[in-house]
Each structure stands twice: as structure tokens, then as C-alpha cells.
Amino acid sequence: MSAPATPMRRRPVDAPLRPPWSEQGILEVFRHRYILSLLVRREIAARYQGSVLGLLWSYVNPLSQFFIYYFVMGILFGRAQRTEDFAVHVFAGLIVVHFFTETMNAGTRSIVRNKSLVQKMAVPREMFPVASMLVSLFHVVPQVAILLVATLISGWRPDAMGLVFGVLGLLISMTLGTALALMFSAANVFLRDVSNAVNVLSNFVRFGVPMMYPYTLVAQRFHGHTSIYLLNPITEAVLAFQRAFWVGATSHPAHTAHIDMPPNMLWLSLRALVISLVILAIAQSTFTRLERRIPERLL
Amino acid sequence: MRKEDRSIVVRHVSKTFTLRYHRTLKQMSVAMLRQQELSDSFLAVNDVSFTVQQGESIGLMGLNGSGKSTLLKMINGIMRPDSGKVLTRGRTAGLIATGAGFHPQLSGRDNVYLNAAILGMSEAETRRKFDDIVEFADIGRFLDSPVGHYSSGMFARLGFAVAIHVDADIFLADEVLAVGDRPFKKKCLAKMQEIRDSGTTLFYVSHAAGSVRKMCDRVIVLEKGHKAFDGDVDEGIKFLHYDDDNENALDIEEEMADDEELGADI
Ligand SMILES: Nc1ncnc2c1ncn2[C@@H]1O[C@H](COP(=O)(O)OP(=O)(O)OP(=O)(O)O)[C@@H](O)[C@H]1O
Ligand SMILES: [Mg+2]
């Protein structure tokens, strides 16, 4: 027979008795920065594993989109003659749109893709969509560098207000992208249809914002009744980014801002940020509700 | 029993799973036309309560599908109970399912860091223990090749090696020894005894009576989600087999003899 049961060993543990899961949602993610950084690094390394061009694909994709839009809208439809520095206009918008759609798409699939981790860990699962957003953000940096070169060549004169708008544009798309990634990532566990629906949504976003056409076109067509069009926070994000990098490159910035930007840009951008934050709060509460059943529904 | 020595409190915990029979729209509409059930619920853990003191080591036993892994997942915080309360004190580590938490494309080395982080280790802590972990896993030069190419035993070794090196207050072990080879099993048991003797609360799921006898000082038996037994090890093992027919008893005896031998070598 084996040895008799050993007497009880005592070791005082200096910690409170508490539930083994966390309940603070997305805020908890920032207390797990180390895991987050590992996840982001892993994601960047894994996204294009086994491909020869590797990370370059992250730039081939937006750049090819840029050339298509520029060719079709700028050359075929003749937009390039009517809108000054049309290339900068398109590219500034594309950075925001691409960042947003990438965050939303990769974020939606993030939990299902990481199921082996989800089934193991008790750390907040908000981590995965947030990591997707950070990976997309990582790719924004070199794109902005390219944009800066392009806009400087076009005669860009930076201004302080432009900087504020640039930051606002990024913040809006970051907040809304994270919010939708959060909500869809949980929903996608239950219904894989969600990731397909998000693909469709991305198409609407690409055409629903003033990226391949200027805002003036919309204002003219609807005789200034653009309030619904402007309700979409990504519209403001794109406009803010164009205000930051494109308006200053045109020959008469004040005139361009007057014609091609809606009035009250600052107010509109702030409103868009607030809308995004409200959506983030709703997304978080949806996520919390769905999250309880995520591990058991992942096969 | 002092209150501040309580390590795990499980109170009236129940967990229901939904079994879905039809997944696509077509299947669902056909089933509805035929008036079949679309889904059914299933009580995997049914009103289970117990308290564990710091330093106790519990053998969790029961037939396949009796809810052991589900209970462990709730103690670990991976799953949430539908009703009832789970409270734990301190850091929990363990091996819930072999291979979970590994990314097949990443190398063994990267996976060690990721896995350790998930179990709550900091970067410095992982770096400090890295050599010990690798030595324990003993996977040789495969350390830098993708985990996807590992054999299931190697998978399990790496997972166990990381989990056992966390300075945890509660250690959960499920299916740990299922795929490891004999020398590795011995090493694991010895290591688990070591952490048990250091005062870590141990929760050990096993079908092998011998190793439970060796490791544990209390047995909880689940039967179809209910707690059927909670108490002394030998009585628990007896309880588990009291109504076995002869054929089964034979198998179990064989298995026990095997385990006994394994235990004796250590
Ligand atoms: N995600 C899930 N969805 C539906 N049913 C599940 C799920 N996970 C477990 N179950 C069911 O719950 C029951 C208990 O499963 P569990 O894995 O806890 O059993 P176990 O006691 O660990 O069994 P074993 O000894 O085989 O490891 C089983 O009948 C299983 O089919
Ligand atoms: Mg099990």
C-alpha cells in the first residue's frame, strides 16, 4: 500500500477570497499589459507566417486599394482634375478606413481564432479584440509616414489645429473599431455568420465615407442635408484626417476647408468621438453578457 | 477550520450546457416542421458545494462525463457557473486540458512565454524559471520548432512544465498524466508531491486509484454532476467501485496494480 495521507500542510496565503474571474471588462485589459504585448507581437508574427513577402502584404493591400481608387475615381471619373491633390485626399481617408475595417474584421475573428487560449485563460477576453486593434494600429505608423512624404511633396504646411484633428481622427476610428470588434467578436462565437456580415459592412464603410470622393459632392447632391451622412463617426474620422493632412497641402487651405469640409468640424469630430464612446459602452455590456457562454461554445 | 485558511469555496454551483441538434437554417426549419426539439439543456454540474482548506490535496474522481473537468474550469475561472458561487484565494495555475493555450505556429520557446504570461507570470519571472521549465519538459532541440509539430506527449510535457513552475497557491491538474510516458509520469507525480508538500492546494483529477492514494488526502466523487462522496481517500475509492461488476473490477485492479508500482518507484 502507499504511504498514509500526509498531515495537512499549512501555508498562509495573503490574498482575499474572491471569484476567479475578472469583472471589470476592457479596463482590466490594461492591467494585463504584458500579456497584451505578447499577444500583439504574436499576432504580428503569425499573420503572414509562411508567406514570402510577409509583413509587406500589410502595405500591398492598402496601396493596391489606393491605386484602384485613384485610377477609377481620379482618372476615369476625372475627380483628380477637380479636387486638388486628390491622391493625398484619397490616401488620408484610406489610412483611417483601412485601420477601421482591419480592426473590425480581424477583431471579429479574434476570439474564435484564439480559441485554444480562450479555453485556457481566465484573464479578460476583451484582450483579443483589443490586441487586433493594436496590431492594425501598428500598421498605421508606416502608412502615415508615406502620407507625410506625399503631402509634403504636395506643399503641405502643418498647422496646430491640423494636429488636433489628426489625433481626433485616429481616436474616433480607434474607439469605434474597438467597440465593434468587441461586440462582433463575441457574437461571432455564437454565429459564424457574423464575420461574413462584417465583410459586407466593410464595403459600406469604404463607399460611405468621403474618401474616393470629396465631401462637397455629398453636400451638393443633398443640398446641404448631410446630417445623417455625418452621423457616421467614421465620416468625421476621415474628414478630420483630411483636415490634418490634405487641407494644408492645397493652394488655398482656408478656401478648401470652407468648400470641402462641413462647417463646425471641431464640434462634429468631438460629437463623433462621444458617439463612439457610447457605442463602446454598449459593446462592452453586450460583450459581458455574451462572454459567460463563450468558452463552452467554442469547439 | 479557520475561515482565513479556506482556499476554495464552492457553494451550490450548477452549470447547464445547451446541446444543439441543428445548426443551419435548413436543418432548423426541417426540425421545426417535424416538431423536433431544436436544443436541449444538460446539467453537467448539479448543486455542488464544498470547501477546501489551504494545503489540502483533493482527488476528484468520477466516471467519464460526470462533470469533473467542468468543475475544474469553474474553479479556474474559465467558465462561469449558472448559479452558485465560486471563490478562490491566491494565484491559481494548472493544466486543464493538455495542449490548450498553445499556438501551433509559434515555437516552443515563444509558447512558454505566452503560456507563462497567461498563468500570471511576469516576464522577469519567466526568464528566471525558463531553464528549469525547459529542463523539466525535456523536449531537446524541438524547443525552437513550432509546437504544431510536437507529438501529443511533448505537448503535454511543455504544458505541464510551465504550469508546475508557477508559484501558485492552488494547482489544478486534469488529464495531466494521460499522454505522458512512464518516466515523465513519475517526474510529474514527484513534482506535484513537492508542490503539495510546500502547502499548495492541489486538485487532482484522475481515474487511477493508486496515484490518488499517493497524492491526495481527501476524495470528492462526482456522479452525473452531483457530489456523491466527499471524504476519506480509501473510502472514496471504495465508494467509486462498490457496485462494479466482476469484469470491470478486473480491469481496475490491473490498473491499480500498475499505479501502485508507479507509486512505489518514486
Ligand atoms: N461545451 C460543452 N457543451 C456541451 N456539453 C458539454 C460541454 N462541455 C462538457 N459538456 C458535457 O458535460 C458533461 C461533463 O463533461 P466533463 O468534461 O466535465 O466530464 P469529465 O468528468 O471531465 O469526464 P472525463 O472523465 O471524461 O474527463 C459531459 O457529458 C459533456 O458532454
Ligand atoms: Mg475531463
Side-chain angles (χ1 to χ4, degrees):
Chain A
M1 265 336 274
S2 57
T6 27
M8 264 246 281
R9 298 141 293 260
R10 291 239 178 272
R11 183 181 75 189
V13 174
D14 186 24
L17 258 182
R18 54 175 193 78
W21 46 79
S22 59
E23 272 162 342
Q24 281 164 299
I26 206 164
L27 297 178
E28 190 82 10
V29 171
F30 298 99
R31 288 218 274 126
H32 292 80
R33 280 184 303 270
Y34 171 51
I35 306 182
L36 191 64
S37 75
L38 284 182
L39 282 180
V40 169
R41 257 182 279 167
R42 187 194 88 174
E43 188 78 27
I44 291 173
R47 202 174 267 193
Y48 298 104
Q49 220 213 9
S51 69
V52 183
L53 288 184
L55 264 184
L56 272 182
W57 280 113
S58 310
Y59 307 110
V60 172
N61 186 358
L63 281 178
S64 67
Q65 281 187 46
F66 166 74
F67 285 119
I68 291 168
Y69 298 151
Y70 186 78
F71 180 75
V72 174
M73 306 308 278
I75 315 277
L76 286 185
F77 285 82
R79 213 51 251 175
Q81 275 132 48
R82 274 164 278 169
T83 302
E84 208 180 334
D85 295 318
F86 187 62
V88 176
H89 181 276
V90 173
F91 197 60
L94 185 66
I95 291 177
V96 173
V97 170
H98 192 69
F99 169 50
F100 174 74
T101 53
E102 278 290 289
T103 301
M104 192 167 65
N105 276 298
T108 300
R109 280 175 272 116
S110 61
I111 288 185
V112 171
R113 261 169 17 98
N114 285 296
K115 58 181 165 220
S116 84
L117 290 182
V118 174
Q119 280 159 330
K120 168 147 196 161
M121 62 195 234
V123 306
R125 292 183 250 269
E126 284 86 351
M127 197 82 94
F128 299 104
V130 171
S132 298
M133 185 273 286
L134 291 176
V135 172
S136 309
L137 189 62
F138 169 85
H139 293 308
V140 163
V141 178
Q143 289 171 16
V144 169
I146 298 175
L147 176 67
L148 279 178
V149 173
T151 193
L152 279 172
I153 291 173
S154 311
W156 181 54
R157 291 161 304 268
D159 60 319
M161 220 35 221
L163 192 71
V164 172
F165 277 115
V167 172
L168 268 175
L170 265 189
L171 275 181
I172 294 167
S173 46
M174 218 163 120
T175 313
L176 193 66
T178 309
L180 298 184
L182 203 59
M183 190 148 37
F184 295 147
S185 63
N188 193 42
V189 173
F190 299 91
L191 272 183
R192 301 293 152 88
D193 308 66
V194 170
S195 56
N196 291 314
V198 167
N199 258 331
V200 175
L201 185 64
S202 308
N203 271 330
F204 280 101
V205 172
R206 282 189 200 107
F207 288 92
V209 299
M211 166 177 69
M212 40 186 122
Y213 51 83
Y215 172 76
T216 27
L217 272 192
V218 185
Q220 277 163 20
R221 166 65 72 211
F222 297 108
H223 308 292
H225 299 297
T226 52
S227 52
I228 292 180
Y229 184 79
L230 288 173
L231 218 48
N232 171 11
I234 294 303
T235 305
E236 271 87 354
V238 166
L239 285 170
F241 228 61
Q242 287 164 343
R243 167 65 187 79
F245 296 105
W246 169 66
V247 167
T250 57
S251 39
H252 305 285
H255 180 70
T256 311
H258 183 69
I259 299 289
D260 280 311
M261 296 273 133
N264 304 327
M265 251 314 277
L266 190 59
W267 185 82
L268 282 173
S269 305
L270 290 173
R271 187 188 68 168
L273 187 57
V274 171
I275 294 176
S276 306
L277 285 169
V278 170
I279 296 176
L280 182 61
I282 296 170
Q284 174 69 66
S285 86
T286 312
F287 188 89
T288 307
R289 209 149 26 82
L290 293 176
E291 190 199 11
R292 315 181 115 252
R293 297 218 161 257
I294 282 179
E296 63 204 64
R297 295 293 285 272
L298 277 175
L299 285 184
Chain B
M1 275 209 179
R2 293 190 311 163
K3 262 197 163 173
E4 57 272 27
D5 284 338
R6 289 185 309 183
S7 170
I8 305 173
V9 175
V10 172
R11 220 175 276 147
H12 299 298
V13 163
S14 296
K15 179 78 192 171
T16 310
F17 288 123
T18 312
L19 305 174
R20 277 155 308 140
Y21 303 126
H22 307 284
R23 289 181 153 268
T24 65
L25 202 59
K26 189 176 153 196
Q27 286 173 344
M28 284 198 283
S29 30
V30 170
M32 267 197 281
L33 282 177
R34 294 191 186 148
Q35 304 203 315
Q36 290 170 336
E37 291 278 341
L38 286 184
S39 66
D40 199 2
S41 62
F42 170 78
L43 251 179
V45 174
N46 191 352
D47 195 24
V48 170
S49 306
F50 56 83
T51 307
V52 178
Q53 300 291 109
Q54 184 64 44
E56 265 189 290
S57 68
I58 314 278
L60 185 58
M61 304 183 82
L63 301 179
N64 292 139
S66 53
K68 305 181 295 293
S69 300
T70 309
L71 185 60
L72 241 56
K73 282 179 185 161
M74 289 191 286
I75 293 173
N76 198 13
I78 296 173
M79 283 186 181
R80 307 265 191 105
D82 294 323
S83 60
K85 209 173 182 179
V86 178
L87 299 170
T88 58
R89 192 192 301 278
R91 201 194 244 185
T92 304
L95 213 55
I96 295 290
T98 47
F102 282 119
H103 195 272
Q105 291 177 342
L106 287 184
S107 69
R109 183 185 300 276
D110 292 341
N111 266 306
V112 166
Y113 275 92
L114 187 62
N115 224 274
I118 287 169
L119 291 172
M121 281 207 243
S122 69
E123 190 171 7
E125 198 181 344
T126 315
R127 207 173 288 136
R128 191 150 34 81
K129 292 175 180 165
F130 189 80
D131 291 338
D132 289 343
I133 293 175
V134 170
E135 199 195 304
F136 191 91
D138 192 21
I139 47 171
R141 47 199 190 84
F142 288 97
L143 183 65
D144 284 306
S145 57
V147 165
H149 294 162
Y150 283 17
S151 73
S152 41
M154 286 160 67
F155 235 82
R157 294 169 91 108
L158 200 60
F160 188 84
V162 177
I164 201 83
H165 281 88
V166 178
D167 293 321
D169 303 304
I170 301 171
F171 190 81
L172 310 173
D174 190 357
E175 297 179 37
V176 187
L177 306 179
V179 284
D181 55 22
R182 209 174 174 70
F184 189 68
K185 272 187 194 179
K186 274 202 279 183
K187 208 154 90 172
C188 289
L189 279 176
K191 192 76 190 177
M192 283 205 288
Q193 277 174 327
E194 192 182 298
I195 65 159
R196 179 195 69 182
D197 292 339
S198 74
T200 302
T201 306
L202 187 72
F203 232 96
Y204 178 54
V205 175
S206 176
H207 297 289
S211 60
V212 170
R213 246 193 216 109
K214 190 91 191 134
M215 294 296 309
C216 307
D217 38 42
R218 176 175 161 196
V219 160
I220 294 178
V221 177
L222 288 185
E223 216 166 61
K224 293 185 179 143
H226 288 283
K227 188 175 85 174
F229 177 89
D230 184 352
D232 179 71
V233 175
D234 285 320
E235 277 174 46
I237 291 169
K238 226 183 284 162
F239 174 89
L240 201 62
H241 299 315
Y242 68 96
D243 55 357
D244 272 330
D245 53 51
N246 280 333
E247 200 187 336
N248 271 342
L250 256 182
D251 285 351
I252 287 156
E253 250 155 37
E254 243 170 47
E255 186 196 59
M256 274 168 64
D258 203 40
D259 272 316
E260 230 76 71
E261 186 197 321
L262 194 92
D265 298 353
I266 295 170

